[in-house]
Amino acid sequence: MPDTAENRLGYWVNEIEEVGIATLLGLMALITFANVVARYVFQSNLLWALETTTYLFAWLVLFGVSYAVKISANLGVDAILNYLPPPVQRLCALVAVTACLAFTTLLLYGGWEYWSKFAFQLSFLEVEDIPYPIWLQSLLGYVEDGEPMYEKIPRFIPYVILPIGMALLLIRYLQAAVRIWRGEQRMLIASHEVEAMEESK
């Protein structure tokens, strides 16, 4: 495979998604297990565990959406498309990916607008339960006169996945559009639901 900018971008996006998904799954399992041990062995509770796993799950979903596009794991109804001649199938796929690109661009804009308010205007807002370690705030320069700026992590930190996730999804749809245009990919979705389910067994 030639070392082009397109291939390098695909490689790094793939690494971000796969490492991110694996890390998030591991953290969710570890935190849930630690909370179960704390509750049933030590009769205690990790107050921040539920909120943390909720945010981690949201990150996992948004990483997974773009990864699903990459591996063509999205399911769809293609009973009619299969009876169309290949040029028409290609045209339909191009129309579909164009609609997906337009929609994802709107989502990226909306995600950036939503996150930027918390990052630049409402940066003082914190999450409910997840503590923000003072050593990390010291490292990031969030300490004034020895006092941390936050007790809990600010909301703009977990919310940053909104523009990041939509940017990754936009990149994946652009890659799919290029593959469909070149004739390297027939459709945007898995061939059909039954085959996709059989392959996953």
Side-chain angles (χ1 to χ4, degrees):
M1 183 180 294
D3 184 23
T4 63
E6 179 186 343
N7 292 333
R8 287 195 297 272
L9 175 64
Y11 170 80
W12 284 111
V13 171
N14 193 62
E15 288 295 301
I16 290 170
E17 289 170 346
E18 290 187 350
V19 172
I21 289 170
T23 303
L24 292 167
L25 281 171
L27 286 173
M28 289 173 65
L30 183 63
I31 292 170
T32 303
F33 176 74
N35 198 28
V36 169
V37 171
R39 180 172 297 176
Y40 293 102
V41 177
F42 300 103
Q43 285 73 50
S44 183
N45 188 27
L46 301 177
L47 294 177
W48 48 268
L50 178 60
E51 186 178 28
T52 303
T53 53
T54 301
Y55 281 126
L56 291 176
F57 184 72
W59 280 57
L60 180 66
V61 168
L62 290 173
F63 272 123
V65 167
S66 60
Y67 190 71
V69 174
K70 182 250 181 184
I71 62 175
S72 298
N74 299 304
L75 299 178
V77 179
D78 61 354
I80 297 176
L81 288 175
N82 288 332
Y83 289 102
L84 299 175
V88 179
Q89 287 184 6
R90 181 169 176 265
L91 178 61
C92 291
L94 288 171
V95 170
V97 78
T98 301
C100 289
L101 284 168
F103 184 64
T104 306
T105 301
L106 291 174
L107 289 176
L108 175 58
Y109 175 77
W112 172 264
E113 285 290 302
Y114 186 78
W115 173 79
S116 63
K117 290 178 183 177
F118 287 96
F120 304 118
Q121 300 171 15
L122 304 173
S123 59
F124 57 89
L125 290 179
E126 302 174 347
V127 300
E128 296 292 328
D129 297 316
I130 308 171
Y132 200 178
I134 187 171
W135 64 266
L136 184 56
Q137 295 190 59
S138 299
L139 187 65
L140 297 174
Y142 288 168
V143 174
E144 296 177 351
D145 299 325
E147 294 295 325
M149 293 176 61
Y150 301 98
E151 291 184 8
K152 307 293 191 296
I153 66 169
R155 292 189 185 187
F156 67 81
I157 292 178
Y159 290 1
V160 74
I161 190 58
L162 293 171
I164 291 175
M166 292 305 101
L168 291 173
L169 183 59
L170 185 62
I171 291 171
R172 288 307 190 189
Y173 277 132
L174 285 170
Q175 291 176 324
V178 170
R179 288 195 301 269
I180 293 169
W181 181 260
R182 291 175 178 171
E184 299 168 1
Q185 182 173 328
R186 190 170 66 95
M187 285 187 288
L188 192 58
I189 59 174
S191 59
H192 62 270
E193 194 167 334
V194 175
E195 284 185 8
M197 292 176 67
E198 289 178 351
E199 289 175 1
S200 64
K201 292 181 180 179

